[in-house]
Amino acid sequence: MRIFILFGVFFISIAAFAQDDFLAKRYFEDGDFEKSVVFYEKLVKKNPRRTDYSEGLIACYQQLERYTEAETFLLNQINSTRTSPVFYIELGYNYTLQNQSEKAKQYYEKAIAAIDKNPNHGYSLALRFQKYALLDYSIKAYSKAMELNPKLNFNYQLARIYGEQGAIDRMFEAYLSLLIDKRTSLSKVVRSIDDFITDEPDNANNIKLKTALLKNAQNNPNVIWNELLSWLFVQQKQYSSAFRQEKAIYKRMDGATTQRLENLGDIAFENSANETAEDIYTYIIENTNDEVTKLNAHLKILDIKLLDTDPKKLTGIEKQYRALIDQYGYKSQTLQLQIAFANFLTFKKNTPEPAIEILKNSLNLPLNVRGTAYVKMALGDILVFNKKFNEALIYFSQIQKKLKNDILGQNARYKVAQTSFYKGDFDWALTQLKVLRSSTSQLIANDAMQLSLLISDNSLEDSTQTALKKYARADLLAYQNKTKEALTALEDILQNHKGEKIEDEALLKQGELLESVQDYEAAKFDYQKIIEFFPDGILADDAHFALAELYRTVLNEPEKAKAHYEKIIYNYQDSYYFPQARKYFRKLRGDSIN
């Protein structure tokens, strides 16, 4: 019986202790320091060796401006046998709060002196100095510890402090030292310095990094400096300079793949540095022995050539496609060539029949499930172009069933909805779109939402769906690259269905098509009309973003672009465009973008 009583008392005391711990922290977090200090005093009395309780008590005293009690407590801690030198900093900070800087300095120096006895104290003391924004002392602590024990390396922590202080040269030096000593990865360094670099080559920080890298490359030839220089040039959109670095990396690394070069070529192409992109792909063709890589580079060069809208050049491009077909043949390893050539024949030459034949023959090759799906997807797109909707639906449905939970399967389901829309089967389109609105792909989900609202809004208002049918026809004409006819069809909607819900959809589509034919003023006018007359409509954010992009990328009016991005940030926070709008707004404002 006595044992049970002892156990009961023991568990009650543990519960009471846990309750005191909880209440001390809770009151402190709530800012009720008068109550918190009572519990911390009890906890320290019961557990004098628990530094977290001691520090909690000190913080309470200081919040209550009971500096004398804090000083007495800290002096007792310092004079005890097994004290931590961290308490020197705490006492120094207690004096700092009372504007007694000389006394504070004495104890900060005592903390630094403690590193002489044990360099391992350097880390904890430096962290405590950082806590109180005493960065110079933090640097002293890290540096002294490293000097006394060369095995310690706090360059990463020092680099972060130098960055906070604005000592950019020293920050870069510390990060690069870490790379030399192989104490960290290149990716980690890049993430750390990214905040200090802009896309402007003349920026002071960019120049400092470039200078530091070139200096290191001269003193210690290492491919890592080429990699960092390449990264810097990409940030500055100097793709030809990045290409020179990538060539040096490729030549110096035995057994290197062309993956880095391929990535750079893609980045240059995406940023309209087409001449450099073509040089990169040509270099890949000349230097790789991998036939698939070589073929992909050839196709990328043809993609660049197809950006030239001169129809007279299409015959020459077709000859190049046919030469690649002769070289690589029709086989399962060259599906990308067959699909690219079929798309060229359809969307550029307006000859879908031979394209359909090519892809149907490709389906007879020994393909895996995904290979078959890619060919069927391309074939379905071309059949839609050729208005063979039912046959296209069969192929899209087959992909959807085979790859039900895959992004490719979800994309196929969207194509079913889109094709049904072109066909005028709006009910079936809506059925497919309802499923897709919860798609794992944000882009598919957003497209599904837009098309779903277009159909449902315009079906409720007009039971005959006359305007919706006209819009579906205009959308199909745009898909078929019949821009002039599509613009005429949209103008018919705008003239004959004024005031109907379809009007803002027609304006947005018309604006996009006008941009594609470089009639930017007319496109701008359409976007402005949506903003003015449909400010609460579902396409208002689309119009703001389209207009912002037009001002930023074409019309070179950054202030106007910034105003429209800002509208999205403050008025359309659920918009699909919100992340991009915030990024470009901050960039135009001059913020550092990570």
Side-chain angles (χ1 to χ4, degrees):
M1 185 67 182
R2 187 176 296 173
I3 292 172
F4 287 119
I5 291 169
L6 286 172
F7 270 118
V9 171
F10 175 70
F11 286 120
I12 289 167
S13 64
I14 289 176
F17 174 77
Q19 180 76 353
D20 287 347
D21 179 283
F22 172 78
L23 289 171
K25 291 172 182 173
R26 181 64 180 270
Y27 285 130
F28 189 90
E29 288 169 6
D30 291 344
D32 194 343
F33 304 113
E34 291 283 3
K35 289 180 180 175
S36 180
V37 76
V38 173
F39 289 101
Y40 271 122
E41 283 174 339
K42 286 165 65 178
L43 289 166
V44 168
K45 192 174 181 180
K46 291 178 183 176
N47 300 272
R49 294 186 184 280
R50 283 280 296 264
T51 56
D52 56 332
Y53 291 152
S54 297
E55 289 171 11
L57 179 58
I58 294 162
C60 282
Y61 284 148
Q62 289 171 344
Q63 289 289 342
L64 295 167
E65 298 184 10
R66 289 159 61 175
Y67 301 122
T68 304
E69 289 173 76
E71 180 182 354
T72 302
F73 179 79
L74 284 164
L75 286 169
N76 287 334
Q77 291 292 321
I78 288 168
N79 294 326
S80 65
T81 52
R82 295 176 63 183
T83 188
S84 167
V86 165
F87 286 115
Y88 287 126
I89 301 174
E90 291 294 343
L91 184 54
Y93 184 65
N94 197 61
Y95 288 127
T96 295
L97 292 173
Q98 300 172 76
N99 296 316
Q100 297 181 39
S101 56
E102 286 304 314
K103 274 191 174 183
K105 185 179 177 183
Q106 289 175 24
Y107 284 96
Y108 294 150
E109 292 297 341
K110 283 186 178 183
I112 295 294
I115 299 170
D116 288 322
K117 296 178 182 177
N118 185 352
N120 291 326
H121 283 315
Y123 181 72
S124 59
L125 292 172
L127 277 182
R128 189 57 55 96
F129 280 127
Q130 276 182 270
K131 177 183 174 183
Y132 296 127
L134 298 163
L135 300 184
D136 288 334
Y137 280 109
S138 188
I139 291 169
K140 269 189 184 181
Y142 282 130
S143 301
K144 190 168 191 179
M146 289 168 62
E147 185 184 334
L148 293 169
N149 182 357
K151 290 182 180 180
L152 297 173
N153 191 308
F154 299 123
N155 273 314
Y156 191 78
Q157 289 82 358
L158 283 168
R160 292 178 70 88
I161 294 172
Y162 293 142
E164 288 180 49
Q165 289 184 320
I168 304 301
D169 286 315
R170 297 183 75 182
M171 179 191 73
F172 287 147
E173 184 184 338
Y175 279 128
L176 299 186
S177 295
L178 285 166
L179 289 173
I180 293 168
D181 296 338
K182 297 181 180 178
R183 297 274 185 165
T184 191
S185 65
L186 180 63
S187 60
K188 193 172 181 181
V189 168
V190 164
R191 283 196 301 272
S192 299
I193 65 177
D194 191 36
D195 282 336
F196 298 89
I197 297 299
T198 73
D199 59 2
E200 298 168 2
D202 295 333
N203 176 272
N205 290 352
N206 291 43
I207 293 169
K208 286 175 180 178
L209 178 59
K210 183 181 174 183
T211 303
L213 291 171
L214 291 172
K215 182 181 174 183
N216 274 280
Q218 288 173 349
N219 297 335
N220 176 22
N222 191 314
V223 74
I224 204 164
W225 312 128
N226 300 100
E227 291 177 2
L228 265 171
L229 279 166
S230 177
W231 172 82
L232 176 62
F233 288 133
V234 168
Q235 307 314 302
Q236 297 173 171
K237 302 188 186 302
Q238 295 175 313
Y239 302 112
S240 58
S241 298
F243 180 33
R244 284 195 291 274
Q245 298 301 322
E246 290 299 333
K247 280 193 286 189
I249 294 166
Y250 183 75
K251 287 174 183 175
R252 289 177 63 182
M253 294 181 71
D254 292 332
T257 69
T258 57
Q259 187 62 57
R260 288 181 62 93
L261 286 159
E262 291 169 56
N263 292 340
L264 179 60
D266 293 346
I267 291 169
F269 182 41
E270 287 164 13
N271 286 274
S272 302
N274 298 327
E275 189 176 336
T276 302
E278 189 168 348
D279 289 343
I280 295 168
Y281 295 132
T282 301
Y283 183 82
I284 291 169
I285 291 166
E286 292 169 351
N287 287 276
T288 185
N289 293 318
D290 184 81
E291 290 302 311
V292 173
T293 301
K294 195 176 287 191
L295 172 58
N296 287 335
H298 276 298
L299 293 175
K300 292 286 176 64
I301 290 173
L302 288 173
D303 284 340
I304 293 168
K305 292 182 185 297
L306 285 169
L307 293 173
D308 190 333
T309 55
D310 185 355
K312 294 176 184 176
K313 296 187 177 179
L314 293 180
T315 302
I317 293 173
E318 184 175 351
K319 285 180 181 176
Q320 291 178 62
Y321 270 117
R322 292 193 183 279
L324 290 174
I325 294 280
D326 291 340
Q327 181 181 349
Y328 291 96
Y330 289 100
K331 48 192 175 185
S332 54
Q333 292 82 4
T334 64
L335 282 183
Q336 67 272 45
L337 171 58
Q338 296 156 51
I339 291 171
F341 185 42
N343 284 332
F344 167 78
L345 291 172
T346 303
F347 294 98
K348 296 296 182 181
K349 294 279 287 181
N350 195 22
T351 54
E353 292 299 342
I356 291 168
E357 185 181 352
I358 287 169
L359 293 183
K360 284 187 174 178
N361 288 335
S362 296
L363 288 173
N364 295 322
L365 295 169
L367 304 173
N368 60 24
V369 174
R370 295 190 71 79
T372 302
Y374 278 117
V375 176
K376 286 183 176 180
M377 190 79 83
L379 181 54
D381 287 340
I382 292 168
L383 288 166
V384 170
F385 179 97
N386 209 26
K387 293 187 181 179
K388 295 184 176 179
F389 301 127
N390 291 336
E391 194 176 352
L393 285 168
I394 290 169
Y395 286 116
F396 293 144
S397 299
Q398 287 172 350
I399 299 167
Q400 180 190 321
K401 287 174 185 172
K402 280 281 185 184
L403 298 167
K404 197 171 291 182
N405 298 317
D406 190 276
I407 291 292
L408 202 58
Q410 292 177 9
N411 195 23
R413 185 185 285 274
Y414 180 76
K415 300 249 182 205
V416 169
Q418 189 180 48
T419 304
S420 301
F421 175 69
Y422 291 147
K423 189 183 172 188
D425 190 351
F426 302 129
D427 290 338
W428 183 239
L430 273 177
T431 301
Q432 302 301 310
L433 293 167
K434 282 175 184 173
V435 177
L436 285 169
R437 283 163 69 167
S438 59
S439 168
T440 52
S441 164
Q442 191 180 0
L443 180 60
I444 293 174
N446 185 66
D447 289 345
M449 176 71 77
Q450 296 276 39
L451 186 53
S452 175
L453 290 170
L454 168 68
I455 295 169
S456 55
D457 285 355
N458 290 285
S459 298
L460 287 170
E461 189 177 70
D462 178 12
S463 59
T464 63
Q465 300 174 321
T466 305
L468 189 59
K469 288 171 185 174
K470 287 183 179 181
Y471 184 88
R473 178 176 170 274
D475 202 13
L476 177 61
L477 288 167
Y479 178 81
Q480 293 171 316
N481 288 330
K482 297 176 181 178
T483 305
K484 188 177 178 181
E485 294 93 326
L487 286 168
T488 302
L490 290 166
E491 190 58 36
D492 171 48
I493 295 170
L494 292 170
Q495 291 298 324
N496 297 303
H497 297 273
K498 280 185 182 294
E500 295 182 24
K501 283 188 177 292
I502 200 77
E503 191 176 355
D504 58 343
E505 294 280 359
L507 283 168
L508 184 67
K509 191 70 181 180
Q510 189 178 68
E512 291 167 353
L513 292 174
L514 288 166
E515 271 197 77
S516 72
V517 295
Q518 298 180 4
D519 191 349
Y520 300 121
E521 287 300 318
K524 183 174 77 170
F525 184 62
D526 279 344
Y527 299 142
Q528 287 171 333
K529 283 208 287 192
I530 296 170
I531 292 166
E532 183 179 353
F533 297 111
F534 305 95
D536 300 319
I538 59 169
L539 297 181
D541 59 325
D542 296 73
H544 276 295
F545 189 78
L547 199 49
E549 288 288 275
L550 194 57
Y551 281 130
R552 181 178 69 88
T553 62
V554 178
L555 302 177
N556 195 26
E557 297 186 63
E559 287 304 312
K560 289 183 179 179
K562 195 165 71 171
H564 287 285
Y565 289 133
E566 191 173 21
K567 285 281 186 185
I568 294 170
I569 293 167
Y570 290 109
N571 298 339
Y572 306 95
Q573 293 181 0
D574 293 333
S575 170
Y576 170 76
Y577 302 105
F578 179 83
Q580 289 172 280
R582 183 172 56 183
K583 175 185 171 184
Y584 291 132
F585 174 78
R586 290 179 60 205
K587 193 171 182 180
L588 290 171
R589 195 173 61 181
D591 298 358
S592 291
I593 307 297
N594 194 347

